[in-house]
Amino acid sequence: MPMLNLGILAHVDAGKTSLTERLLYAAGVIDEIGSVDEGSTRTDTLALERRRGITIKSAVVSFTVDDVTVNLIDTPGHPDFIAEVERVLSVLDGAVLVVSAVEGVQAQTRVLMRTLQRLRIPTIVLVNKIDRGGARYEHVLEQISARLTPSIVPMGEAREQGTRDARFTPSTENRLRTPLLDLLAGHDDDLLAAYVEGGVSDERLRAALVRQTGQALVHPVYLGSAMTGAGIPELVAGIAELLPAGAGDADGPVSGTVFKVERGPAGEKIAYVRMFSGTLRTRDRLPLRDGEEGKVTAISVFDQGSAVRQTSVSAGRIGTLRGLEGIRIGDSVGVPRKPSAHEHFSPPTLETVVTPCHPRDRGALHLALTRLAEQDPLIGLRQDEIRKETSVSLYGEVQKEVIQATLADEFGIDVVFRGTTPLCVERPVGTGAAAEFNGKDPNPFLATVGLRVDPAPVGSGVDFRLEVELGAMPYAFFKAVEDTVRETLGQGIHGWQVTDCTVTMTRSGYSPKQSHAHQGFDKSMSSTGADFRGVTPLVLMSALREAGTQVYEPVHRFRLEAPADTLGAVLPVLAKQRAVVRTTRTHRSTSVLEGWIPVARVHELGQWLPGLTRGEGELECAFDHYAPVVGGTVPDRPRTDLNPLDRKEYLLNVARRV
């Protein structure tokens, strides 16, 4: 049976989860439609999701349309959870983008559509809520064409919109034929030639629509209401006909991607995997991170609304795996897929300190946050043993509430947050070198390590190289140096992560295993991995200090749409927030400004905007790049390591730890 892994995407409150309920009801999977307001939907299972009426975590349900099995994935709509959305997109065959007929195209709708187009995911658009007062489907179609993509195919029109009797009327073949030919011929030279000659049959035109929709070149637009069911049968038929089913060879090599991880009732790890090739069976052993291996103890496959226990999961399907405690989101199952050049996850750009309300919960808080980080690898934890604090990186302020509620509901831990600060990075500005020699003061470690730090191109990360012979000492010592270099670069001269640099090991040396006569190994005379791990931070920080570093702050790309007559009030505020306006366009009574703004100023700008624009301003932001911090004080972040910048303090800390 053909499989279609379908994502439902939308801005907040567009009716995405209600559409999921309606589709399940139409397919006969559920007997009663759940309510977002009442917290009775199938896919919003978290307590906070039910309370706030928003989707935070992706959820999978399944139903059948004709001979196609659809795995339906309901995704978050709030911009703070865009990382969750992008992970889901990597496993989809197609998507339905939901737009409200009342609110129209929102900033988040544009972000989602850009991502769908970048990943070339076939997409159908649904204009929802045609039964609501204020519904204007003609205006929304114009917005979609102007702000999302001009390559749309309206599949019908709304009758009696704005009333409970609103319905969707499909366009007749004759009415749809001319605009459809004009659009499709622009992507197909053969079709264009046949069009000019007047020889395009209805069957060929429909086949071209199916093909170009599957290639993400055009986007059919349906109208309907998830609440009343208007237009939903036509949408379901369009999904089955126009979106391509997943491909894959069930007999090929095992290859899949983990896109979600959660914990079961007993604390066991459950991994959601999309299989692209082969068949995975229970008791199969899989290689995991760091050379570990795991055995699949149980498999469930989604079928008719829920996960059903099976002995295997094959290509094209989505299933859950148990028994793989070391697995994480983004891991490959079996043969790794070749990463797409279009796949990209923006890094979190904010950080906050989370502390328990009761000091007795410190240990439990760290464990709970570690569990939460397993479910979202793009959110990192930073433990400060000196101050007994934990920092968490974020995408936005709403995530604070989610983390706070989750810790209270699932772990019984009440927490508070400090203010949110931008998450900066450091880059070397020059070249620096340093060395410590075995047996020579003031080096107390039985190890010789020389390192050179050089700047590298932006986006290259950290590269570790050798200028010494690999056989000059045991490989474990080289490995200890490399691992320590990468760990130490987590905090540079100013305390931020150091990136875009090349670290070269220029000197090496060690003391071979020695022992006194008739006695065993004496580590006071022989080098160990601890010696190399101990001396490397001192050498690296000396080299980094000589090279010098520049602190870079995260910068968002912004698009601001506001009434043209409010620009006089908006522009000075943008300048005050250190925004750089690159382009300004005015169409009729609306102006659109695009440019860059420091992440630290986005929240404040968002608070000012409604008052400046009579509530009509619309701000859209997304991470773009890091820019040097200029003017004022360079931001420092408190260190959480043993402080290798201060040799005396570092050696005391190392001795105390030993």
Side-chain angles (χ1 to χ4, degrees), residues 558 571 574 579-584 593-596:
F558 78 87
L571 289 173
L574 286 173
V580 177
V581 178
R582 297 184 61 210
T583 63
T584 302
L593 290 75
E594 294 184 345
W596 297 308

Side-chain angles (χ1 to χ4, degrees), residues 137-209:
Y137 89 90
E138 300 95 339
H139 174 68
V140 174
L141 285 179
E142 292 177 1
Q143 281 191 322
I144 293 171
S145 179
R147 302 185 61 189
L148 298 183
T149 172
S151 300
I152 60 172
V153 182
M155 303 300 289
E157 56 186 23
R159 302 290 187 187
E160 298 186 57
Q161 64 174 325
T163 71
R164 294 289 295 177
D165 296 324
R167 63 187 185 278
F168 171 68
T169 303
S171 295
T172 62
E173 293 290 342
N174 289 336
R175 183 168 183 178
L176 188 61
R177 183 178 181 83
T178 299
L180 186 57
L181 267 170
D182 290 339
L183 178 61
L184 299 181
H187 303 291
D188 187 333
D189 291 341
D190 292 337
L191 186 66
L192 177 60
Y195 180 23
V196 171
E197 296 170 3
V200 179
S201 65
D202 291 343
E203 292 76 13
R204 181 173 181 179
L205 188 61
R206 196 73 181 185
L209 174 61

Side-chain angles (χ1 to χ4, degrees), residues 6-10 13-27 30 33-36 41 43 55 61 63 72-74 95-99 124-129 222-236 239:
L6 178 71
I8 305 292
L9 296 91
D13 291 335
K16 173 172 41 66
T17 300
S18 297
L19 174 61
T20 300
E21 291 291 309
R22 175 62 65 175
L23 291 174
L24 293 176
Y25 179 77
I30 56 177
I33 297 176
S35 168
V36 173
T41 59
T43 53
T55 301
V61 290
F63 62 91
L72 187 62
I73 306 178
D74 186 16
V96 174
L97 180 64
V98 185
V99 181
I124 288 175
V125 179
L126 171 68
V127 178
N128 190 29
K129 300 185 179 182
Y222 288 84
L223 313 169
S225 168
M227 296 302 294
T228 67
I232 301 304
E234 291 82 2
L235 172 66
V236 171
I239 290 172

Side-chain angles (χ1 to χ4, degrees), residues 139 149 160 162 167 232 261 271 274 296 308 335 387 416 432 469 489 501 513 515 525 535 582 597 619 632:
H139 174 68
T149 172
E160 298 186 57
R167 63 187 185 278
I232 301 304
V261 171
R274 157 71 195 269
V296 180
V308 180
V335 179
R387 298 167 187 81
V416 293
E469 298 227 359
L489 288 178
C501 64
K513 286 187 177 181
S515 61
M525 302 169 57
V535 75
R582 297 184 61 210
I597 182 172
L619 179 65

